[in-house]
Amino acid sequence: MFCNQCEQTAKGTGCTVIGVCGKKPEVAALQDLLLHAVKGMSLYANEGRRVGVIDQEVNALTCEAVFSTLTNVNFDPKRLQVLINTCAELTAKLKEKVAQAGGKINFTDPAANFVPTSDLESLVKQGELVGIINDHDADPDIQSLQQIMVYGIKGVAAYADHAHILGQEDDKVYAFIHEGLAALANKELNLNDWIALVLKCGEINLRVMELLDAANTGTYGHPVPTTVPLGHKKGKCILISGHDLKDLEELLKQTEGKGIYVYTHGEMLPTHGYPQLKKYGHFYGHFGTAWQNQKKEFAEFPGAILMTTNCIQEPQKSYADNIFTTGLVAWPGVQHVKNGDFGPVIEKALAMPGFESDEDKGSVMVGFARNTVLSVADKVIAGVKSGAIKHFFLVGGCDGAKSGRSYYADFVEKAPKDTVILTLACGKFRFFDKQLGDIGGIPRLLDIGQCNDAYSAIQIAVALANAFGCGVNDLPLSLIISWYEQKAVAILLTLLHLGIKNIRLGPSLPAFVSPNVLDVLVKNFDIKTITTPEEDLAAILK
């Protein structure tokens, strides 16, 4: 196996024996094969659009399949086998439609003519012969850009799947995913062509984040400032982790009146701010921190656990019988619940002891998405003009297990008291419970939401720039970003598409960025690696 798509990849170069995430070689091979199959389907889908053939089933499966290869999503060989076979079946049907419409179908790339074997063992062997980059004679910088684009597309596909679940989609998103994956078969594209595709990936991700924002706020209302308890109530309980708001809503509906409290974990924390979710009286508080701590935290939770979207780690024996997956998430041996039917999760929660007593562990505030922040924009602007607010820091992104990630908590703690910290995604769990006070009634720590809510952060920055009559790069705003997986790659590409400069990225740079490509990013966007909080603060605020 070879996988270098996450920040914690082995030795900073690539996992070759087993994934740091727990991915086994056979799973890695099947994920590579699934991407290979989607690449073949993309060749026909891309050509199909040219002759007026657009297949909605193909669009949906494309995102589901690509999302399934994202870090910490699907570790189940049998589930991957189903996706591979479904992809091959839809490709055959699409090929016929394209031929009938007069489109080209004589593609020579092996992915276009892929036929899966019938048994899992030989399917794994097929996967071992392919990879996302199968032209190993290509220029290393082109290979690097191809990987950047593919990993960005994984993030785009994840966000598109979230939005699609809530009824928001745009064919231009699917069209780009197909265009980008089909481009992997085109050996005539040069370095500039690939740079353009990488930046287009960022442009498309901006659109898909806009769709997801519309889906979430249109369904559940705009988040409002909300106090979330970190303790618990006596009684039966369910813990929900991941990102999916619809799964949470269905769980809240199905547990209503059953004497079960629902708690969030990880990236689900910001959901407490949505009016249509917080109305449920048994939606109580938040338990634990970020995804990488789940093995310890889940073992301490006395109820059922539901994993939605990405973030699952190998379940420990202590809670293996209490954890469930749904959607695209899968782990071998873990019970999977489908179609929003959470009956088995509820039954398990009722059979478990739950919390024996109430406990107060303090609270945190969420709900500072764009509507909330912009509603007090006059106070923010006045604070900047008076000198009360000297600088804004967006400190956010993915969390991970590396010790170097303590940088982000240290940075926030050392930031001067006349600065405001905006944060989003699970990186905030390094400092989310810090009491930083306020500036003129405006909290110094503002939780914008999930990584899925990056659109809100962008809109806040654009609105402030408009208010001050300057560009975003001219604002007293600095981006201190942590990355781990492919959603973060997509967001970074969006920032580059928007021309945002001076981003500090860490805790280490992606293994798939070649020295020459890195040089381009440094020269054109002034991307920097983090150093120490003291040095970076001094450089920013000088």
Side-chain angles (χ1 to χ4, degrees):
M1 67 175 286
F2 180 80
C3 182
N4 65 355
Q5 68 180 9
C6 85
E7 190 271 332
Q8 290 178 187
T9 192
K11 299 179 181 178
T13 55
C15 295
T16 57
V17 178
I18 189 171
V20 172
C21 63
K23 181 165 57 177
K24 295 180 179 179
E26 58 265 35
V27 172
L30 291 170
Q31 289 186 356
D32 285 346
L33 191 62
L34 179 56
L35 274 178
H36 183 72
V38 176
K39 173 185 168 184
M41 187 163 66
S42 295
L43 285 165
Y44 296 108
N46 192 47
E47 173 66 10
R49 281 186 174 81
R50 192 184 68 81
V51 293
V53 175
I54 298 175
D55 190 312
Q56 298 299 336
E57 194 175 5
V58 166
N59 289 342
L61 180 68
T62 296
C63 289
E64 291 173 1
V66 174
F67 190 2
S68 295
T69 70
L70 195 99
T71 303
N72 294 96
V73 178
N74 190 338
F75 294 83
D76 190 340
K78 292 181 179 178
R79 292 275 302 281
L80 292 168
Q81 182 181 24
V82 171
L83 284 168
I84 290 167
N85 288 334
T86 304
C87 189
E89 291 167 7
L90 285 186
T91 299
K93 294 178 182 177
L94 179 60
K95 180 178 180 180
E96 187 176 336
K97 291 179 183 178
V98 173
Q100 291 174 350
K104 174 183 175 181
I105 59 168
N106 59 334
F107 296 106
T108 58
D109 190 273
N113 304 296
F114 166 67
V115 178
T117 55
S118 58
D119 65 286
L120 194 56
E121 184 178 354
S122 56
L123 206 62
V124 170
K125 291 180 180 178
Q126 278 187 296
E128 290 170 349
L129 299 176
V130 301
I132 58 166
I133 310 300
N134 48 27
D135 182 7
H136 297 290
D137 296 324
D139 179 279
D141 297 326
I142 286 181
Q143 288 188 39
S144 176
L145 290 165
Q146 288 175 332
Q147 286 186 289
I148 293 171
M149 185 197 66
V150 169
Y151 298 150
I153 282 176
K154 289 190 179 193
V156 169
Y159 290 134
D161 184 67
H162 291 315
H164 176 257
I165 286 170
L166 290 175
Q168 288 283 342
E169 56 187 337
D170 183 344
D171 189 64
K172 102 172 162 179
V173 174
Y174 304 126
F176 172 74
I177 295 175
H178 292 139
E179 175 192 0
L181 294 178
L184 294 171
N186 188 346
K187 296 183 180 181
E188 295 181 3
L189 298 180
N190 60 33
L191 201 65
N192 289 331
D193 295 327
W194 283 108
I195 290 173
L197 279 169
V198 164
L199 292 177
K200 186 174 180 181
C201 186
E203 175 189 358
I204 294 300
N205 188 59
L206 178 62
R207 173 58 180 150
V208 81
M209 286 195 300
E210 180 184 25
L211 290 170
L212 181 55
D213 179 87
N216 288 339
T217 59
T219 307
Y220 304 110
H222 285 275
V224 296
T226 302
T227 301
V228 184
L230 297 178
H232 51 255
K233 300 283 284 183
K234 178 182 178 180
K236 306 293 184 179
C237 50
I238 293 174
L239 187 64
I240 183 168
S241 190
H243 302 79
D244 198 277
L245 273 61
K246 186 172 178 60
D247 285 335
L248 172 58
E249 179 190 32
E250 289 302 318
L251 181 64
L252 290 170
K253 287 180 179 178
Q254 293 172 41
T255 50
E256 198 166 20
K258 288 186 168 59
I260 299 172
Y261 287 104
V262 174
Y263 298 82
T264 54
H265 178 271
E267 286 261 49
M268 296 299 278
L269 169 62
T271 60
H272 288 275
Y274 286 92
Q276 293 304 311
L277 297 175
K278 65 180 292 182
K279 68 181 183 181
Y280 292 92
H282 63 298
F283 186 29
Y284 181 67
H286 186 78
F287 181 92
T289 53
W291 66 273
Q292 79 276 2
N293 301 319
Q294 67 186 253
K295 291 183 180 181
K296 177 181 182 296
E297 294 169 351
F298 287 1
E300 298 171 349
F301 189 76
I305 301 160
L306 178 64
M307 295 299 301
T308 74
T309 68
N310 49 314
C311 291
I312 193 171
Q313 291 183 301
E314 181 177 6
Q316 302 300 286
K317 289 183 180 179
S318 57
Y319 60 87
D321 291 337
N322 313 333
I323 190 169
F324 298 79
T325 59
T326 192
L328 298 175
V329 186
W331 193 283
V334 170
Q335 185 171 347
H336 190 78
V337 289
K338 300 178 181 179
N339 304 319
D341 178 8
F342 298 125
V345 185
I346 294 169
E347 289 176 17
K348 175 60 70 172
L350 291 172
M352 293 186 68
F355 288 110
E356 295 181 355
S357 62
D358 293 355
E359 184 173 5
D360 184 359
K361 292 185 176 180
S363 61
V364 294
M365 287 283 289
V366 301
F368 294 98
R370 72 178 195 281
N371 260 32
T372 296
V373 174
L374 296 182
S375 71
V376 294
D378 55 338
K379 294 181 180 179
V380 173
I381 293 165
V384 174
K385 289 182 176 179
S386 70
I389 299 175
K390 290 289 197 306
H391 208 86
F392 298 90
F393 295 106
L394 174 60
V395 185
C398 307
D399 202 4
K402 281 187 177 178
S403 58
R405 289 179 179 269
S406 60
Y407 165 96
Y408 296 94
D410 294 340
F411 186 99
V412 167
E413 289 184 342
K414 293 177 187 298
K417 296 188 183 300
D418 55 6
T419 61
V420 173
I421 311 296
L422 306 170
T423 189
L424 76 166
C426 61
K428 65 172 160 273
F429 287 108
R430 296 279 170 171
F431 50 81
F432 80 125
D433 54 354
K434 304 294 182 185
Q435 301 301 315
L436 301 183
D438 66 89
I439 301 175
I442 299 170
R444 286 193 58 228
L445 181 59
L446 301 174
D447 185 352
I448 297 172
Q450 299 179 334
C451 68
N452 296 16
D453 298 313
Y455 181 77
S456 251
I458 291 170
Q459 292 307 306
I460 290 170
V462 170
L464 289 175
N466 290 338
F468 285 108
C470 66
V472 171
N473 290 319
D474 300 315
L475 286 171
L477 168 68
S478 298
L479 278 62
I480 317 296
I481 306 297
S482 57
W483 82 280
Y484 174 71
E485 42 87 339
Q486 297 81 65
K487 286 181 177 177
V489 175
I491 291 171
L492 179 61
L493 296 185
T494 293
L495 296 175
L496 299 184
H497 158 70
L498 292 171
I500 307 298
K501 297 185 177 182
N502 299 309
I503 299 169
R504 281 174 165 77
L505 185 65
S508 60
L509 291 176
F512 47 82
V513 176
S514 70
N516 287 334
V517 171
L518 176 59
D519 187 54
V520 170
L521 294 177
V522 170
K523 285 181 178 177
N524 290 292
F525 300 100
D526 203 16
I527 284 184
K528 301 175 176 69
T529 53
I530 59 172
T531 58
T532 67
E534 294 84 357
E535 290 176 37
D536 288 344
L537 280 165
I540 292 167
L541 299 174
K542 65 182 178 181

